Amino acid sequence: MKKKIICQTVVLLLSTFFLRAQGTALKDSMAWLCGICGGSCDTLVFAKPGNCPHCGMELIHQSVAVRKELIENYNKHMTICFYLQDGVEVLDFAGPMEVFAYAGFHVFTVSRTKAPIVTQGILKIMPDYSIEDAPPADIMAFFGGNTGPSSKDSAVLSWIRKRKTSTSYFFSVCTGAFIIGKAGVLDNLTATTFHASIESLRKALPGTKVLSDTRFVDNGNVITTAGISAGIDGALHLVAKLNGEETAREVAKYMEYDKWIPGQGLVVQKK
């Protein structure tokens, strides 16, 4: 992650230099902004030079308009791995997929093998990769629907564990929490899942505090959501977290999704 942050800072500086060299008209005022680190501080504006109090990166004197364009370009290179198992719930992954795609993130699909999977016995999907050849991703996402086999598959769980240190965020919808939970991602954290599976998750993960009646739970870099449509709320929350609430609202409006209420879930405060 440190190498990635350094590379993004270099890109920011070079991009700003070339835009100025080409005589780009900067219609808004210059401001002090931190280098793009993928955190919520990417959209904050500071009145004077120094270091970002949130991520510690050195502030850059830059146009807010240029910054917005660079964040959009950065997000296009931000990758999200959607792990899909046979029998996966369609809306569990399709809703968040639309959110992240509209926000400009790069989404790819992975399954146990490259063989076609069938969602709910209806829709056939060809995964982009198997767990053997899937590239690394900034975000790994898991979804409900027939999660039993995957949550007990040692190869799948080992694959997730190996990626814990190189993945910035883990995201689950519905009973997808069982998969990442069995891989140890939810150890000593707070989580939620599909309303009918709350007690089952509590029994399966005794070291995890499982909440009911909660749209999503954000532990910082691990976000779990309730079932089906709640995944859209969780995805919008993650977009807001990474790219600002205004961007998330634009995505929700574009999707004509008027049910999203920012802050409706639980953000766990670190002690």
Side-chain angles (χ1 to χ4, degrees):
M1 283 303 295
K2 289 183 178 178
K3 290 183 178 179
K4 182 176 180 180
I5 290 172
I6 293 172
C7 289
Q8 292 298 335
T9 303
V10 171
V11 170
L12 277 169
L13 292 171
L14 290 176
S15 299
T16 304
F17 172 80
F18 285 121
L19 283 170
R20 289 175 179 172
Q22 293 171 0
T24 302
L26 302 179
K27 297 181 180 180
D28 62 325
S29 61
M30 301 292 287
W32 292 98
L33 306 148
C34 77
I36 295 177
C37 65
S40 58
C41 54
D42 286 349
T43 57
L44 298 181
V45 177
F46 300 92
K48 57 184 179 180
N51 291 82
C52 176
H54 301 277
C55 69
M57 295 186 72
E58 184 177 356
L59 300 180
I60 302 169
H61 198 217
Q62 190 177 59
S63 161
V64 175
V66 171
R67 162 49 64 88
K68 184 177 181 181
E69 180 179 348
L70 290 172
I71 286 179
E72 291 173 353
N73 289 332
Y74 170 69
N75 282 342
K76 289 177 182 177
H77 294 90
M78 194 166 193
T79 53
I80 306 181
C81 165
F82 271 43
Y83 180 82
L84 306 179
Q85 67 279 359
D86 197 58
V88 66
E89 173 80 30
V90 175
L91 189 56
D92 271 14
F93 76 86
M97 184 176 283
E98 294 228 5
V99 171
F100 292 126
Y102 286 142
F105 297 175
H106 173 63
V107 181
F108 62 84
T109 58
V110 177
S111 195
R112 179 66 167 80
T113 68
K114 289 184 179 179
I117 62 172
V118 181
T119 71
Q120 296 175 290
I122 304 170
L123 179 66
K124 185 178 288 186
I125 296 176
M126 292 291 295
D128 295 319
Y129 303 97
S130 72
I131 60 174
E132 300 297 329
D133 63 0
D138 297 297
I139 302 168
M140 293 185 70
F142 299 82
F143 307 91
N146 193 36
T147 54
S150 295
S151 66
K152 299 172 183 176
D153 190 323
S154 60
V156 172
L157 300 181
S158 177
W159 172 68
I160 297 170
R161 292 188 188 105
K162 289 178 181 178
R163 300 204 168 200
K164 284 176 68 175
T165 57
S166 61
T167 302
S168 299
Y169 295 92
F170 279 90
F171 179 82
S172 74
V173 177
C174 195
T175 53
F178 283 83
I179 302 176
I180 62 173
K182 285 298 184 179
V185 175
L186 297 177
D187 289 353
N188 303 312
L189 297 181
T190 303
T192 192
T193 187
F194 182 55
H195 65 86
S197 300
I198 294 292
E199 290 303 323
S200 296
L201 189 62
R202 285 172 177 162
K203 292 178 181 178
L205 306 176
T208 302
K209 182 179 180 180
V210 181
L211 302 180
S212 59
D213 300 318
T214 307
R215 293 294 281 178
F216 66 82
V217 177
D218 179 356
N219 291 276
N221 68 332
V222 178
I223 297 172
T224 58
T225 82
I228 313 175
S229 64
I232 297 175
D233 293 37
L236 287 168
H237 170 73
L238 184 51
V239 169
K241 182 184 179 83
L242 294 173
N243 209 18
E245 189 175 303
E246 180 183 351
T247 299
R249 286 186 180 279
E250 289 176 359
V251 171
K253 182 178 180 180
Y254 185 81
M255 293 173 61
E256 297 195 25
Y257 182 69
D258 59 359
K259 306 300 182 184
W260 182 51
I261 303 175
Q264 190 175 29
L266 171 67
V267 177
V268 178
Q269 301 298 323
K270 300 295 182 180
K271 295 181 180 179

